[in-house]
Amino acid sequence: MKFTMKNVWHKHNRTQIEQFSRQYADFMNTARTERMVICEAEKMLKEAGFVDIEHFDGTQDKVYAVNRAKSLVAVRLVGKLQDGLNLVVAHIDSPRLDLKPQPIFEEENVALARTHYYGGVKKYQWFSLPLELHGFVVKTNGEVVEIHLGQCCEDPVFVIPDLLPHLDKEDALVSQKFDAEKLSVILGTIPLAGQEKEAVKMYVLKILKERYGIEEEDFVSAEFQLVPALKARSVGLDESLLGAYGHDDRVCGYTALRALIETEGAKRSCGVILFDREEIGSEGNAAAKASFYVMFLKRILKAQGCTDTSLGIDELFAKTNVISADVCPAVDPMFKDVHDVQNAAKLGYGVGLVKYTGSRGKSGASEAHAEFVAKVRKVLNEEKIAWQVATLGKVDRGGGGTVAKFLAEKGACVLDMGPALLGMHSPFELVSKADLFETYRAYKALLEKLD
């Protein structure tokens, strides 16, 4: 029988789709950085009755842990954890611009800040774009100062000005024309009265000192991120799409978290992990290569009576099913030549199943085994959830990676799955509202039904 994809808009009451979309948009407008995502996620878990691992005594059935304010793991326990675990794992970092450790300088009576882009970006997309500034500063005395500018309508925003077309006549390679060292954001133009040298920079430093109590040296132990000052908005005459910064991969983080919180009657223990640093290879102690979630699971095993947690954790991963929740590229009608259309996801046709990632001969891929894909497909079909096949472009044309391989290395069965996006890694990505809702339904069903 021929495999036919189903359009989600013909499956559900639109009211359900729009309600879920509005709730997700509210989350996206609040959670602008990975620290802010984790903060909102912890609030959601606490409201749902989850307890911190530090207060877990083995009797509670909902437990979580936050790791370094940038990643998180949460589990709903059904009996003994060692009997098996279903996980949905996602990353919550997105491409952005970071301020350099000593960013502020003055040029031609303009104070600017030097940046270093994070993740895969098209640099030209960040010029002449209103930007929010989110800072987390730790002073040498231990005091923490947070700065959030541009998120509220009355706040100032920040801009990296582009060269006017009248003076931009020379042809050049994109890599040369849009130099990363020119991604410097304007901070101000008013000189400090009585100051002769770098007067504008000095006025900016004066503002920082008076408003936030920070010195220029404090930037060394700070994290300043610039993200698009763009609210989540419906897109199109039919309002079928939702545009926002950071769909990749917060759309999966949010849907996974909602699915876990609202899971009912799960066959066995289930959980969610939210990772940082996926966009730069999952490096660091808050990413998928780190061991924080392994230690969390060992603590639960120990609290439930496991005497050899080293063996117990290996046995647990061997009985663990993982959905690596990450977005996939949708076929763009204006650039369809980069896709194998028969194996590419389309907007509005449900969650995308990505059997393998990697590039050029599947290098760096985590390819799901046929047996596990069949189990996932069975659950989705039984629950009447729309799904489609997805890949990351034509062979030798594209490719990419997710956190899947790091969980597979632990011994778990893993499959990549998530909604399709247009304009992935751009400052304003597009997702189908129908696919957003269907992704939530898919994660919820798999947490409950996989065995």
Side-chain angles (χ1 to χ4, degrees), residues 397-434:
R397 179 63 188 256
T402 66
V403 301
K405 63 182 180 181
F406 306 113
L407 277 297
E409 288 170 358
K410 302 290 185 186
C413 292
V414 188
L415 174 64
D416 281 295
M417 181 188 300
L421 299 186
L422 282 180
M424 188 188 298
H425 279 217
S426 74
F428 199 67
E429 301 166 315
L430 304 180
V431 68
S432 165
K433 293 178 181 178

Side-chain angles (χ1 to χ4, degrees), residues 346-359:
K346 297 181 179 180
L347 294 174
Y349 283 83
V351 66
L353 273 62
V354 185
K355 192 169 183 286
Y356 55 84
T357 55
S359 62

Side-chain angles (χ1 to χ4, degrees), residues 237-263:
L237 285 174
D238 60 3
E239 302 184 38
S240 61
L241 304 175
L242 184 70
Y245 161 71
H247 283 323
D248 181 10
D249 185 36
R250 291 164 192 165
V251 65
C252 293
Y254 178 81
T255 50
L257 203 61
R258 280 284 300 271
L260 177 66
I261 289 170
E262 296 167 19
T263 292

